[in-house]
Amino acid sequence: MFYTIVGTQWGDEGKGKIVDWLSSKADLVVRFQGGNNAGHTIKVDDDVYKLNLLPSGIIRNKKCLIGNGVVLDPWALINEISILTDQKILIDKNNLLIAENVCLILPIHKLIDEINELSRGNNIIGTTKKGIGPAYEDKVGRRAIRLCDLSDHKTLKNKIKNLYDFHEPRLKKFNKKADFEKAFEDLVKISSEIINFSAPVWKIINDAGKQNKFILFEGAQGSLLDIDFGTYPYVTSSNTSSGQIFSGTGFGIKENHNVLGITKAYTTRVGSGPFVTELDDETGDHFVEKGQEFGTVTKRRRRCGWFDSVLVKQSIAINGITDVVLTKLDVLDEIKEIKVCIGYESEKKKYNYLPFDENLHDKLMPIYETIPGWRTSTFGLTSWNQLPKKAQDYINFLELKIEKNISIISTGPDRVNTIDRNNLLNNS
Ligand code: GDP
Ligand code: IMO
Ligand code: MG
């Protein structure tokens, strides 16, 4: 059985919670793109775990793999392992393996990330400043340092020098300097610790596939941040949609592959970029407070707005989503009238999709339908029948608009606060 979990909006949909929930069944949990720009939260009773690079299955001591599609900051990895060790989650090569061909984020990439943002002036993207974009640029530019380069220190030194030399003129323009010798020495210091996790992930995953093991692919970010299909240029630098699992891990297209689209019951976004249903009023503030909408990685206040069925429907198509998981339903509990965007209009035209032309985005107005709120608590409910009728109506309405079944509903941050309408967990 193969499951992929992807976000259908701009990230932070609750992917970590759902990966943790489903990973009770998994043999392997695999990250296939992004890096430590991700922030996945898992709540188990009184314990809260925040994961950036490590697959969320690590909390259940599942075998976790980091695929070649990820960009890996080795220092961030060591730091995350140490935080989790303090939380009594033990990590070694029995439960964590990293693709030998994964590309590394070096200190220079964070510096370039900063410069890139500075040079955009008013059009700043609002990146996480983790060096993600610059690391992917070096990968495509064929000068990246990969995990497998760490074992030969002589060639490693030359490769790092080449990479640093390549960027020097631009850094100079911004009065910045990157010390290649220091980067090399610092990397050598930790190289044996990192190499320890190195493995041919593509092979492990294919062997597991042949044995029909339960493999769970954990997406980071959301489809609207996808480098191709997102709200470019206000996106991340990887393909965040499900197609990336094949090139990001070496796992081929197979049968029995389900794709769960994690979708918040409203919409949020961190960083700049278009957001047609954004709310700049009390309701938006209510979402921030009740939903605790502050970035896991950067602590920034998330921008909040109404559910946008146009965008979710688009994401469902692009990802080949088989079932939708609706999260944070409980955050809507007090709302009197809930709006759902069902289309856009500009002065000239109506749209049932978001056009790619950046110049159009500011001109689009949402077309809403209004659904009465249920105004009673749904927090922690675990069965469909416990939901108030109006909450059921809201979910039924969303299903109609996005043309997909909402099979799982999350009613709180804890793994037990979950409604599994079709008993997917037990049937998997
Ligand atoms: P991810 O990046 O998609 O894994 O999501 P984040 O962890 O960044 O953000 C989701 C936040 O919502 C986390 O703090 C979760 O603990 C929390 N959360 C997840 N599901 C629910 C839910 O159904 N209700 C509430 N109230 N919080 C939730
Ligand atoms: P998870 O996995 C929400 C956003 C940043 C910025 C843009 C580019 O927790 O859902 P980057 O540092 O990737 O170059 O930043 O993407 N972004 C996220 N927003 N959730 C995330 O991950 C994100 N990862 C990146 O805020 O707008
Ligand atoms: Mg997050």
Side-chain angles (χ1 to χ4, degrees):
M1 190 66 94
F2 314 125
Y3 270 95
T4 291
I5 301 263
V6 285
T8 63
Q9 295 153 318
W10 280 291
D12 304 323
E13 298 91 347
K15 298 175 293 293
K17 173 195 158 157
I18 299 301
V19 171
D20 167 69
W21 175 77
L22 194 54
S23 68
S24 66
K25 284 295 185 87
D27 297 301
L28 292 177
V29 185
V30 192
R31 276 281 305 268
F32 56 93
Q33 47 70 230
N36 59 321
N37 49 349
H40 296 178
T41 317
I42 293 157
K43 189 172 180 304
V44 188
D45 301 326
D46 293 333
D47 296 316
V48 176
Y49 305 94
K50 292 189 183 291
L51 302 174
N52 304 119
L53 257 173
L54 294 168
S56 299
I58 206 82
I59 304 304
R60 292 189 189 262
N61 195 24
K62 294 290 169 172
K63 190 159 194 154
C64 290
L65 306 177
I66 295 181
N68 57 281
V70 167
V71 281
L72 184 117
D73 179 332
W75 295 276
L77 177 74
I78 289 175
N79 185 43
E80 194 170 329
I81 291 176
S82 139
I83 292 171
L84 284 171
T85 307
D86 288 346
Q87 289 189 285
K88 310 253 178 319
I89 305 292
L90 299 183
I91 296 158
D92 57 27
K93 61 184 179 191
N94 291 311
N95 59 0
L96 177 67
L97 292 170
I98 305 175
E100 296 160 315
N101 50 342
V102 84
C103 292
L104 301 185
I105 300 181
L106 301 180
I108 196 171
H109 293 128
K110 290 197 248 178
L111 205 54
I112 300 169
D113 206 345
E114 252 176 60
I115 289 174
N116 286 351
E117 285 286 75
L118 270 176
S119 62
R120 291 183 65 90
N122 287 339
N123 299 323
I124 173 173
I125 288 169
T127 73
T128 58
K129 302 227 177 82
K130 301 290 181 191
I132 305 292
Y136 276 119
E137 283 181 45
D138 275 346
K139 174 180 180 173
V140 179
R142 291 163 290 191
R143 57 186 164 265
I145 310 299
R146 298 184 300 165
L147 180 52
C148 52
D149 294 327
L150 295 188
S151 37
D152 179 348
H153 291 174
K154 196 161 167 246
T155 47
L156 174 67
K157 190 167 186 177
N158 286 335
K159 284 183 179 176
I160 299 182
K161 181 159 186 349
N162 277 344
L163 191 150
Y164 275 58
D165 282 351
F166 177 85
H167 292 293
E168 198 191 71
R170 184 140 183 277
L171 290 189
K172 229 183 201 164
K173 233 174 103 182
F174 286 85
N175 283 326
K176 300 271 185 198
K177 223 174 141 28
D179 185 344
F180 111 84
E181 294 268 7
K182 183 166 181 347
F184 169 68
E185 281 159 20
D186 287 350
L187 201 51
V188 166
K189 272 186 217 152
I190 57 165
S191 61
S192 61
E193 201 174 336
I194 305 287
I195 292 171
N196 194 33
F197 295 110
S198 158
V201 159
W202 69 271
K203 195 169 178 313
I204 296 167
I205 203 167
N206 277 293
D207 288 346
K210 271 186 218 149
Q211 293 164 34
N212 213 21
K213 298 272 187 199
F214 192 125
I215 307 178
L216 180 50
F217 296 91
E218 175 174 359
Q221 289 81 55
S223 305
L224 304 175
L225 289 170
D226 184 283
I227 186 79
D228 283 291
F229 289 104
T231 45
Y232 192 92
Y234 302 100
V235 292
T236 190
S237 297
S238 68
N239 282 110
T240 57
S241 36
S242 62
Q244 176 63 18
I245 68 159
F246 307 116
S247 49
T249 67
F251 191 70
I253 296 173
K254 300 193 174 48
E255 283 179 61
N256 296 336
H257 204 136
N258 302 287
V259 184
L260 300 185
I262 315 305
T263 308
K264 230 177 247 191
Y266 48 100
T267 312
T268 63
R269 162 160 220 174
V270 206
S272 326
F275 187 169
V276 180
T277 63
E278 183 168 13
L279 289 169
D280 188 16
D281 62 7
E282 286 172 0
T283 310
D285 292 345
H286 178 76
F287 288 158
V288 173
E289 275 153 42
K290 176 116 201 247
Q292 281 301 295
E293 297 296 356
F294 296 94
T296 314
V297 177
T298 56
K299 317 282 178 253
R300 287 175 290 178
R301 182 188 162 104
R302 294 176 184 145
R303 300 158 64 193
C304 291
W306 295 117
F307 190 93
D308 188 334
S309 71
V310 178
L311 292 180
V312 172
K313 196 168 153 189
Q314 228 164 275
S315 296
I316 287 171
I318 285 158
N319 288 286
I321 284 168
T322 46
D323 290 87
V324 166
V325 179
L326 193 72
T327 61
K328 298 193 120 173
L329 183 75
D330 54 294
V331 176
L332 298 182
D333 282 351
E334 282 103 24
I335 310 286
K336 197 169 164 197
E337 288 185 324
I338 304 172
K339 289 189 176 159
V340 174
C341 175
I342 54 155
Y344 310 127
E345 57 190 345
S346 70
E347 266 178 25
K348 295 187 186 134
K349 212 174 148 184
K350 284 195 175 174
Y351 295 87
N352 61 4
Y353 67 96
L354 185 68
F356 285 123
D357 180 359
E358 218 193 311
N359 298 314
L360 258 176
H361 292 162
D362 282 351
K363 302 186 181 88
L364 295 180
M365 296 297 291
I367 304 170
Y368 285 125
E369 279 198 32
T370 303
I371 289 98
W374 44 94
R375 309 195 84 187
T376 164
S377 175
T378 61
F379 185 82
L381 297 185
T382 52
S383 83
W384 175 257
N385 294 335
Q386 292 171 331
L387 283 176
K389 167 83 174 52
K390 283 183 178 156
Q392 294 180 348
D393 289 345
Y394 178 64
I395 296 165
N396 291 337
F397 178 79
L398 296 186
E399 284 186 322
L400 212 66
K401 292 295 157 193
I402 62 175
E403 295 174 16
K404 195 54 68 183
N405 289 337
I406 296 176
S407 304
I408 295 153
I409 299 144
S410 173
T411 55
D414 197 285
R415 52 163 78 134
V416 297
N417 306 141
T418 310
I419 299 175
D420 184 3
R421 283 174 90 179
N422 305 327
N423 222 355
L424 181 141
L425 191 61
N426 288 330
N427 295 334
S428 298

